[in-house]
Amino acid sequence: GDSAGAVTLESVILARVARLAPGARRFLEIVAVAGRPIRFAVVKQAADPNPRENVVEILRSGHLIRTRDMDAKEEVEAYHDRIREAVVASLSAEDAKSHHRRLAVALDASGEADPEWLALHWKEAGDLERAADYAIAAAAQAAEALAFDRAARLYSLGLELSQPKQAEPEPRRRLQVNLGDALSNAGRGGEAAAVYLAAAEGAPTAEALELQRRAADQLVRTGHIEEGLPLLRQVLEKVG
């Protein structure tokens, strides 16, 4: 059946990969781990700045990678998704982590990488703190560009990655408020309200009240009247 076919294809691909010289193999692995078209210069930096052989020619003629010119810069990607998936699946956890770290360092040095992509590679490299910083930077960029759903996704990622820093409630609360704002701007009032209420817990009184008011406002605006009105009443009683 189909699964037998899939296994055979994968083993054919991996047999071809196994025959590559170490330099070409590492180049291919880094391209596969990148997961999307990536500048040739960045892969070369991550894999081996001074390869002994012309790895691109070897891999291109073997139909393992394809190259294309984008804005006068050469980009490379796996020749086919199945090749990318087979190569990634064959990596040990240790090698995958090391490749993600090499990629993150090379992307960082290139100075033109998308912060969301950097967040992903630092996360996979196990550097959660650096990944969180990039996710938060990408979130702020998205919010400025009015891409609120994307901003919400990235603020959530930033919160998830920065969990070990729970000793500092202030920055965490600021992130939650930013997430709430992104959700409310994306018209996701129910979700925004839940995030504002979570941020209100343990906040200084005036700030907690303001966050509860925002939560109530979002609930009422999005038709959750039964939850929103009692909350609004509570806030109004507290401010007299």
Side-chain angles (χ1 to χ4, degrees):
D2 188 48
S3 63
V7 170
T8 331
L9 177 61
E10 192 160 290
S11 48
V12 168
I13 292 167
L14 293 179
R16 273 164 63 197
V17 172
R19 288 198 294 271
L20 294 170
R25 172 131 123 231
R26 181 153 70 188
F27 190 96
L28 174 62
E29 287 173 355
I30 299 238
V31 168
V33 164
R36 67 186 202 200
I38 180 171
R39 278 189 49 214
F40 166 69
V42 174
V43 182
K44 191 174 149 187
Q45 189 57 43
D48 182 358
N50 309 301
R52 274 210 294 274
E53 63 257 300
N54 186 348
V55 293
V56 172
E57 270 322 300
I58 293 167
L59 294 171
R60 211 163 39 184
S61 59
H63 293 304
L64 291 165
I65 63 168
R66 57 171 89 228
T67 57
R68 59 177 185 186
D69 286 323
M70 286 294 285
D71 311 323
K73 290 176 183 141
E74 195 175 20
E75 285 196 337
V76 290
E77 64 182 318
Y79 192 79
H80 194 285
D81 274 345
R82 294 290 280 277
I83 291 173
R84 181 177 54 74
E85 287 157 14
V87 170
V88 169
S90 73
L91 291 175
S92 69
E94 209 39 57
D95 280 349
K97 204 169 169 178
S98 148
H99 288 351
H100 279 291
R101 175 169 290 278
R102 285 163 170 278
L103 264 170
V105 170
L107 281 165
D108 238 340
S110 80
E112 48 181 73
D114 159 8
E116 184 175 0
W117 208 18
L118 275 162
L120 170 89
H121 289 301
W122 281 120
K123 178 187 172 194
E124 295 299 330
D127 191 333
L128 300 190
E129 207 164 311
R130 206 176 291 193
D133 290 343
Y134 276 112
I136 293 159
Q141 227 176 51
E144 255 172 55
L146 311 185
F148 297 116
D149 281 309
R150 179 173 176 195
R153 184 178 79 243
L154 287 160
Y155 277 127
S156 289
L157 178 63
L159 273 163
E160 180 196 315
L161 291 169
S162 56
Q163 257 171 350
K165 295 196 268 188
Q166 268 166 341
E168 309 163 36
E170 243 344 283
R172 192 163 180 75
R173 188 157 43 246
R174 209 165 44 242
L175 269 184
Q176 285 175 311
V177 174
N178 288 342
L179 171 58
D181 292 348
L183 287 165
S184 79
N185 284 325
R188 294 156 66 180
E191 291 171 73
V195 172
Y196 285 142
L197 290 174
E201 282 175 34
T205 312
E207 194 184 343
L209 276 171
E210 166 58 19
L211 289 168
Q212 286 166 342
R213 185 198 65 72
R214 281 196 213 179
D217 177 54
Q218 283 300 312
L219 287 168
V220 171
R221 276 168 193 258
T222 49
H224 300 82
I225 310 291
E226 316 233 315
E227 297 157 73
L229 283 181
L231 184 57
L232 204 50
R233 226 170 269 130
Q234 227 175 322
V235 172
L236 292 173
E237 274 167 23
K238 282 183 193 158
V239 295

